[in-house]
Amino acid sequence: MNTSAGKTALITGASSGIGLELAKLFAKDGYNLVLVARSDDKLQQLANRFNDDYGIETTVIGKDLSEEDAAQDVYNQVREKGLTINVLVNDAGVGAYGKFANETEWEREKALIHLNVLATTQMTKLFLKEMVERNEGKILNLASLVSVTPFPLMAVYAATKAYVYNFTQSLINELKDTKVTVTALLPNATNTDFFNKAGATNIRATDQVDDPAMVAKDGYKALMAGESKVVPGGLVNKMYEVMAYVAPQEAVAAMMRYNNEPKAEPKEQKKEEGSDKAANSSALAWGLGIAAVAVAGVALAVAYSNSSVVDKWRYKYKLGKLKWKASRGYAHASDEAVDLVSEASKAVSNGLDNLRQTVARAVN
């Protein structure tokens, strides 16, 4: 039975990237769609394709959500069409690259704040009220891994995503006695048009980007399960999140600054670049090592509760060893810790996937 039949999902930023991939997933599951973005023509092409391929009804609303009261206008159009929004996806967002003091423009940052913060908040305010009245609904807010880390050279963008993440977690608590759920999606750098629009096409972070289809799939799964947050991808991305909590913020900021800098530097800066690279690589290794220790420690604790007496003593010894290495800043603990995660997972009847889910919940 298709429980999504007759339900409608509204997706902002639906014309490309993660928003587009999420729209595909909703369409495949039979949701009717309301697609919101600035490009009317592109949205209409997508609507025609979705309607033909999946037999759903797709409504297009061309709107620049960085404009004043744009969210209210979207809401009014939805009401005029007599549509009920069962799922709201606040995906639209932009970045701005450069040093805040003297390289970025205020008008652009003001529009960024309006889109990432005000539009997301107002869209949520308008549609959440109806969801609570029906005691039914889901919201997915696009945060970012940088919502929990410093992000030099994109300081305002990171600050807006920190707002989105905090806002989402607060709403989850307020809604705990209802059947309405809110989920924060925290992707790492993703292969979308984000860096191009932000003016950051040549930074190191673009060398390692995740697939937007993968990000959307993990986000969609978490949304449907009513989870509070999801960090898409493998264990490495999850260790980045843990590192943000356990490593000194100065070290995290230095690492993120390095990832955000241009790939090619002038010749006269080569020596300095090499020094910075070594320092930041060391910080990364140290931070990921500590994060891996934390993740492996939780994994061992989970395995411990599902083990025999003999195995429990063995896990106690390994957990003590991890603590000893962590206390000494053991930079190469990551390799051993990841091995321990794998080993500990064998003691959990449902395998590594369930173990990682437990680890993710435990470190919330």
Side-chain angles (χ1 to χ4, degrees), residues 22 25 215-227 230 353 357:
L22 283 166
L25 294 173
V215 172
K217 183 178 179 181
D218 284 2
Y220 186 79
K221 181 179 178 181
L223 172 69
M224 292 304 159
E227 296 179 8
V230 57
D353 287 341
Q357 291 176 13

Side-chain angles (χ1 to χ4, degrees), residues 18 21 189-191 209-216:
I18 298 170
E21 296 300 331
T190 307
N191 188 19
V209 290
D210 288 332
D211 180 4
M214 177 278 292
V215 172

